[in-house]
Amino acid sequence: MNSLTTTFSTHQSFYSHLPTTLHSTVTPIQSLSFRTLNHNFRLLCLSSDPSQPPPIVVVGSANADIYVEIDRLPLEGETLAAKSGEMLAGGKGANQATCSAKLSHPTYFIGQVGDDAYGSLVSGALRSGGVRLDNLTVVPSVPTGHAVVMLQSNGQNSIIIIGGANSSGWPSALPGQHLDLVAQASIVLLQREIPDNVNAQVAQAARNAGVPVVLDAGGMDGPLPPQLLNFVDILSPNETELARITGMPTASFEQIAQAALKCHELGVKQVLVKLGHKGSALFVEGEKPIQQPAIFAKTVVDTTGAGDTFTAAFAVALVEGKSRKECLRFAAAAACLCVQVKGASPSMPDRKSVLDILNRQ
């Protein structure tokens, strides 16, 4: 007979969701983990200590970002010397998870890294940001995703992504442990730097459990599959991504509003559009758009991760029961802080700093 080892750990399970306000009933559970010589499996048990709010669950990418600081982009065939270079943690999923955790909300991350130095860098950064990594998978046969970020002196950037473990090595069917965690969330955040079929499985599991889903449209530039869109509650593109999704112009606010209507026709009830220095707007089907001006930073150092900060901060405010207008203001303040620091994950602001900005407005 195989020997049996039993361990106990506690995390939160949440079964009551009200989609209109996103208030939830906290129902913590215990995770009872069994390990034999050949198998690992887990039994979830109800507990009764309502001490923590429902977690935000982020499913997505984790990258090592190779930063090069340059005065301008090179011309075709030209070689430029960078002023400096640095390796920092990033990836849209890791950015959003770090932001949520630093804003003092319990946060779990589901993703993949390789068994390499890049993976150690990313997992260390997530852990130091307060993100729970129980569901981070190390894929030995695939390198960690990484990106080259060309940062210009005006704070604007151009990015080239190598997918690595973000795009390869995922199981055809996600483990039950991942889907159990999704079903316990207050809200789930997705992006398009991992395969659409992974996002679709997560989104469907969330819908089945009554958990709202936010899909950041950044990442792959292919069409959004209906099997994913059908389970998305809030779609969050910038104006360029909105134009790509709808095939419509987005140069003016009127055009953006028309493109948002097209998203409603595709089945998405809420469209959260990030407009950079022009602010943001939330389009809820059947309601008047809500606009939020940008909160400008005194100095823009690096815009990398600003959109991820905005989306994650909006989600945090939403699950805390703030009004939609308050959510937009909270997200704008967080994005303002993000662009003042170099790096994606390192630039995610803490809650006190965001509240300080809002109190000065």
Side-chain angles (χ1 to χ4, degrees):
M1 179 181 295
N2 291 334
S3 62
L4 181 67
T5 302
T6 307
T7 60
F8 292 86
S9 63
T10 302
H11 66 284
Q12 309 303 316
S13 174
F14 308 96
Y15 296 96
S16 175
H17 298 275
L18 301 179
T20 54
T21 62
L22 301 182
H23 291 305
S24 300
T25 299
V26 181
T27 311
I29 63 173
Q30 283 190 324
S31 172
L32 190 60
S33 299
F34 298 93
R35 184 172 71 252
T36 70
L37 293 180
N38 300 314
H39 301 285
N40 290 281
F41 54 95
R42 189 179 61 167
L43 180 66
L44 301 180
C45 314
L46 287 177
S47 180
S48 58
D49 178 20
S51 58
Q52 293 290 326
I56 287 176
V57 174
V58 182
V59 184
S61 58
N63 285 335
D65 289 346
I66 305 166
Y67 267 79
V68 290
E69 293 191 49
I70 53 179
D71 289 322
R72 60 174 177 83
L73 294 175
L75 302 174
E76 185 175 350
E78 181 183 22
T79 300
L80 288 181
K83 294 187 290 184
S84 68
E86 190 175 3
M87 184 83 69
L88 298 169
K92 294 185 72 64
N95 295 343
Q96 292 180 13
T98 301
C99 181
S100 172
K102 291 185 72 173
L103 292 174
S104 302
H105 201 96
T107 303
Y108 285 75
F109 178 68
I110 298 174
Q112 298 191 155
V113 296
D115 187 11
D116 50 31
Y118 286 170
S120 298
L121 169 74
V122 172
S123 59
L126 283 163
R127 192 175 293 109
S128 65
V131 180
R132 291 291 302 270
L133 299 182
D134 307 57
N135 291 269
L136 177 65
T137 302
V138 177
V139 185
S141 60
V142 182
T144 300
H146 47 289
V148 178
V149 181
M150 293 172 283
L151 178 62
Q152 299 178 67
S153 55
N154 63 359
Q156 297 302 310
N157 61 67
S158 300
I159 304 173
I160 300 171
I161 295 175
I162 300 94
N166 295 319
S167 54
S168 302
W170 288 89
S172 57
L174 289 179
Q177 175 181 336
H178 292 355
L179 300 180
D180 288 346
L181 179 60
V182 166
Q184 297 160 21
S186 60
I187 197 166
V188 170
L189 305 185
L190 305 174
Q191 322 80 38
R192 298 197 72 205
E193 289 183 343
I194 62 174
D196 281 334
N197 71 299
V198 175
N199 278 334
Q201 289 181 61
V202 172
Q204 183 170 1
R207 176 63 59 85
N208 290 344
V211 177
V213 174
V214 179
L215 173 64
D216 188 308
M220 289 182 286
D221 59 5
L224 282 165
Q227 64 267 32
L228 174 56
L229 272 182
N230 289 342
F231 301 112
V232 170
D233 297 280
I234 302 175
L235 179 66
S236 181
N238 59 30
E239 66 264 56
T240 301
E241 293 156 354
L242 181 62
R244 186 169 66 228
I245 291 166
T246 62
M248 300 172 68
T250 56
S252 68
F253 185 80
E254 291 72 21
Q255 290 174 332
I256 290 169
Q258 290 301 311
L261 284 175
K262 177 66 174 178
C263 291
H264 295 330
E265 294 172 4
L266 294 173
V268 180
K269 303 300 183 184
Q270 300 185 56
V271 184
L272 176 63
V273 186
K274 296 160 288 194
L275 301 171
H277 69 277
K278 294 178 288 185
S280 60
L282 178 63
F283 299 87
V284 180
E285 188 174 36
E287 300 183 19
K288 182 179 178 181
I290 305 172
Q291 293 180 258
Q292 168 64 44
I295 298 177
F296 290 104
K298 292 181 180 179
T299 304
V300 176
V301 175
D302 181 10
T303 59
T304 309
D308 297 326
T309 301
F310 185 93
T311 301
F314 182 92
V316 168
L318 196 61
V319 299
E320 290 176 351
K322 292 180 172 61
S323 70
R324 289 165 176 158
K325 181 62 177 175
E326 290 172 327
C327 291
L328 289 170
R329 287 189 69 243
F330 188 82
C336 169
L337 290 165
C338 171
V339 301
Q340 299 179 56
V341 179
K342 186 174 76 171
S345 289
S347 68
M348 300 296 127
D350 59 53
R351 188 177 188 88
K352 180 180 182 301
S353 299
V354 174
L355 296 178
D356 286 347
I357 281 193
L358 290 175
N359 289 334
R360 294 197 300 266
Q361 294 296 305

